[in-house]
Amino acid sequence: MSRPPLPELPDNVLDQAIGWLVRIESDGANPQLLEACQRWRQAHALHEVAWQALQKSDAIFQGLAALPGSVARDTLQRLQGGRHSRRQALKLLGVGLLASGVTGWSMRDSTLVPWGADYATEVGERRQFLLDDGTRLQLNTASAVDVQFTAQRRLIVLRRGEIFIDTGKDAATAGGRRSFWVSTRHAQLQAIGTAFAVRDEASGTRLRVEDGVVAIQGKGQPVMVAAGEQYLIDAIGSQRVETSTLDASAWARGQLVAKRMQLRELTAELARYRHGWLRCDPAIAHLEVSGVFQLDDIDQALSALSDSLPVRVERFTPLWTRIVAR
Amino acid sequence: MSSPSTSPTPHADVRALYINHHAWLLGWLRKRMRHGDHAADLAHDIFVHILGKPEQLQQLRQPRAWLSTVAHGLLVDRVRRQRVERAYLEAIAHLPETEVPSPESQLILLETLARVDALLNGLPPKVRMAFLLSRLEGLSYKEIAERLAVSLSSVEKYMASAIRHCYLAQR
């Protein structure tokens, strides 16, 4: 990887060379400009040295030719963004991040945490909080919520990811219990003495009630969801999910429970819990899997897959993993 | 310089260093890393690294100070690599399978991305963006001006400043 160093050039020569390069790049079709640049290069040996040196200086970008340009740029912007927001984070490191009790946060990928979220988890992390009304709030991997309690109502805003809520008795409030709401991008949910899981997905909000009743509040009549039921809510409305391949609240016990789930879907589920790239080969994407996987050890879950299916796990770096046919 | 024939073999030096300080180094690393397993890995890497530089071991007065300097360097390097790899993997996450570069070419790409990132460090965001649009996506100055909603002469200024920065950083 060692490259010959670029030559030391007098400042004015370097500036002239850069001036020519920029003018030509800006208006390359101009023949007079090209000719004039040619004359400048020939006027002094040092000019030509400077011109060549600038080309060499640019050569580093050729090493990225195998990558689509937009992806290379995206990567570098993400790196920049991370640095930037980490600096911002230092300034903003106030109640929000402290409340979530995050330690070692400089190592975490802060680009992904919505700023100012009251409670947040990073990829692979699950946390449980006891709110002051007695509610037990659990956050799954890469999730963030705001808690907005007023004298009249309790509101939890799901900003990202997945939560499990076991509502508290709200005993300390004079005049009885305040109403309890969860708000997502797609839905307003009112809890009526319950335990339930809410998940923010690309296409909608998934609600699974474990205990009691949750009302999906919309334009028309509210939809009452009872224990054991699962609903998917999007901009159009809400729909009952009759058969689910995933146990929607098993994660709260640290498990991923799959029932006849396609490998593609299972891979995507597992990928939520770890950093990096995890995919399965399209050729085996339709294989069906049933089983219980421990979320604290995704690598173990992957080896379990290769024990029970005709697949093997390819690892190229700790963050790059692919499931392929055996 | 003393004659090397009187000193023990480098391996014996590393062995002694390992026996006396490995547990301490592991503790030092554990305090700084989230996963104990990774600390053990890195401690291992550090001793492998030291095996490659036996000359530094000969007259070591303060082995722990030296070990922690080496460890710190490798730790920073590792975190930097992980940052780059993570950003890269996020960037390719939505690419169709067929367009994802092979894992074999990935190591070189990551190394190059890390170098380019270091090279561009310190450039103002707009300058950096203009330069990347030009060098990575092949956009013309006119297109860059439109994309960034600035004048053509601003783009020329951005480019001149980025080219200069890159040149001086590689000299």
Side-chain angles (χ1 to χ4, degrees):
Chain A
M1 278 262 160
S2 71
R3 290 147 292 130
L6 298 173
E8 294 273 351
L9 291 166
D11 251 9
N12 63 330
V13 175
L14 179 61
D15 282 342
Q16 284 171 28
I18 291 172
W20 282 111
L21 181 59
V22 165
R23 259 171 286 165
I24 287 175
E25 285 186 355
S26 182
D27 184 18
N30 182 340
Q32 281 110 12
L33 192 62
L34 292 175
E35 248 172 63
C37 175
Q38 199 63 33
R39 279 199 301 278
W40 175 80
R41 284 167 59 182
Q42 287 162 357
H44 197 293
L46 212 47
H47 293 182
E48 184 61 19
V49 170
W51 184 255
Q52 297 298 337
L54 282 187
Q55 319 295 315
K56 261 190 234 156
S57 168
D58 243 25
I60 185 168
F61 291 100
Q62 287 161 16
L64 296 176
L67 210 54
S70 57
V71 174
R73 186 172 59 77
D74 189 16
T75 307
L76 290 160
Q77 290 301 113
R78 280 168 193 273
L79 284 167
Q80 171 75 359
R83 217 175 359 246
H84 199 63
S85 46
R86 211 162 277 137
R87 216 179 301 132
Q88 278 179 337
L90 260 178
K91 281 189 205 151
L92 295 173
L93 188 71
V95 179
L97 280 170
L98 288 178
S100 65
V102 175
T103 52
W105 62 278
S106 65
M107 303 269 281
R108 75 210 218 108
D109 200 346
S110 53
T111 49
L112 299 175
V113 176
W115 294 115
D118 293 340
Y119 298 93
T121 49
E122 64 176 298
V123 172
E125 195 182 21
R126 288 189 316 280
R127 296 176 70 94
Q128 187 171 307
F129 304 93
L130 188 65
L131 305 182
D132 54 17
D133 67 331
T135 292
R136 193 165 60 88
L137 167 69
Q138 214 172 333
L139 270 69
N140 200 2
T141 175
S143 301
V145 302
D146 289 335
V147 175
Q148 300 172 1
F149 285 9
T150 67
Q152 286 76 39
R153 54 132 182 81
R154 297 168 286 172
L155 170 64
I156 295 202
V157 181
L158 177 61
R159 291 171 68 163
R160 189 188 61 185
E162 187 167 21
I163 51 176
F164 187 89
I165 286 171
D166 195 347
T167 52
K169 292 197 185 334
D170 201 19
T173 308
R177 293 169 69 152
R178 294 169 289 178
S179 61
F180 193 105
W181 295 79
V182 173
S183 161
T184 74
R185 288 186 296 158
H186 315 96
Q188 306 297 324
L189 309 169
Q190 185 179 8
I192 306 162
T194 57
F196 59 104
V198 185
R199 171 163 162 174
D200 179 51
E201 296 177 11
S203 58
T205 292
R206 191 176 292 273
L207 166 70
R208 155 94 190 179
V209 177
E210 289 299 320
D211 191 19
V213 176
V214 172
I216 305 170
Q217 300 284 0
K219 286 178 196 120
Q221 283 284 318
V223 178
M224 308 301 277
V225 183
E229 291 180 340
Q230 193 175 139
Y231 273 74
L232 198 58
I233 308 141
D234 60 18
I236 299 160
S238 53
Q239 204 174 11
R240 171 129 189 232
V241 180
E242 296 293 347
T243 52
S244 175
T245 53
L246 178 75
D247 180 335
S249 47
W251 64 265
R253 305 186 302 270
Q255 292 177 332
L256 192 165
V257 181
K259 246 181 297 170
R260 303 188 55 132
M261 185 186 266
Q262 289 198 348
L263 189 56
R264 178 207 311 275
E265 201 193 333
L266 181 66
T267 309
E269 262 320 299
L270 291 172
R272 294 174 58 213
Y273 294 90
R274 66 201 284 282
H275 279 295
W277 195 85
L278 173 65
R279 292 273 187 93
C280 78
D281 188 334
I284 52 168
H286 300 288
L287 290 177
E288 278 189 357
V289 191
S290 296
V292 178
F293 303 92
Q294 300 303 319
L295 294 176
D296 285 331
D297 195 348
I298 299 299
D299 285 335
Q300 171 57 36
L302 291 173
S303 5
L305 277 183
S306 52
D307 290 342
S308 58
L309 293 174
V311 302
R312 69 189 162 81
V313 177
E314 266 186 357
R315 287 192 180 85
F316 191 71
T317 72
L319 291 177
W320 192 97
T321 311
R322 206 176 123 169
I323 304 169
V324 295
R326 188 148 53 195
Chain B
M1 278 284 167
S2 62
S3 155
S5 60
T6 55
S7 56
T9 65
H11 279 78
D13 286 343
V14 175
R15 214 175 107 87
L17 194 71
Y18 189 92
I19 290 168
N20 294 327
H21 306 295
H22 179 266
W24 172 84
L25 178 63
L26 203 54
W28 189 92
L29 288 169
R30 284 219 172 99
K31 262 187 269 169
R32 287 160 180 82
M33 297 172 79
R34 311 192 89 205
H35 300 288
D37 295 357
H38 296 176
D41 276 358
L42 190 58
H44 176 79
D45 286 359
I46 289 164
F47 279 99
V48 170
H49 180 83
I50 289 168
L51 269 175
K53 308 191 165 192
E55 67 284 352
Q56 297 193 14
L57 275 174
Q58 302 275 325
Q59 291 155 347
L60 214 52
R61 292 270 164 80
Q62 292 178 303
R64 289 188 174 177
W66 181 69
L67 264 182
S68 60
T69 307
V70 173
H72 183 256
L74 288 180
L75 193 59
V76 167
D77 195 49
R78 177 174 285 213
V79 170
R80 184 189 64 112
R81 276 163 195 277
Q82 280 175 350
R83 273 186 67 231
V84 173
E85 185 173 7
R86 206 175 276 180
Y88 168 78
L89 291 170
E90 281 165 14
I92 64 169
H94 302 294
L95 278 187
E97 185 92 4
T98 48
E99 283 177 37
V100 173
S102 71
E104 292 78 14
S105 60
Q106 182 172 309
L107 273 186
I108 295 172
L109 284 173
L110 290 178
E111 186 56 39
T112 310
L113 284 165
R115 274 175 50 209
V116 170
D117 180 53
L119 202 59
L120 302 183
N121 194 14
L123 282 181
K126 272 198 176 171
V127 174
R128 180 185 167 105
M129 181 64 120
F131 194 51
L132 291 179
L133 286 171
S134 162
R135 293 310 191 248
L136 295 175
E137 298 196 54
L139 261 58
S140 72
Y141 283 21
K142 200 164 153 271
E143 288 165 329
I144 295 170
E146 280 162 18
R147 183 83 79 92
L148 299 184
V150 297
S151 66
L152 186 62
S153 68
S154 293
V155 174
E156 289 176 351
K157 262 183 235 140
Y158 294 165
M159 289 301 295
S161 123
I163 292 169
R164 190 169 215 285
H165 178 97
C166 261
Y167 183 85
L168 296 178
Q170 290 184 83
R171 203 179 50 194

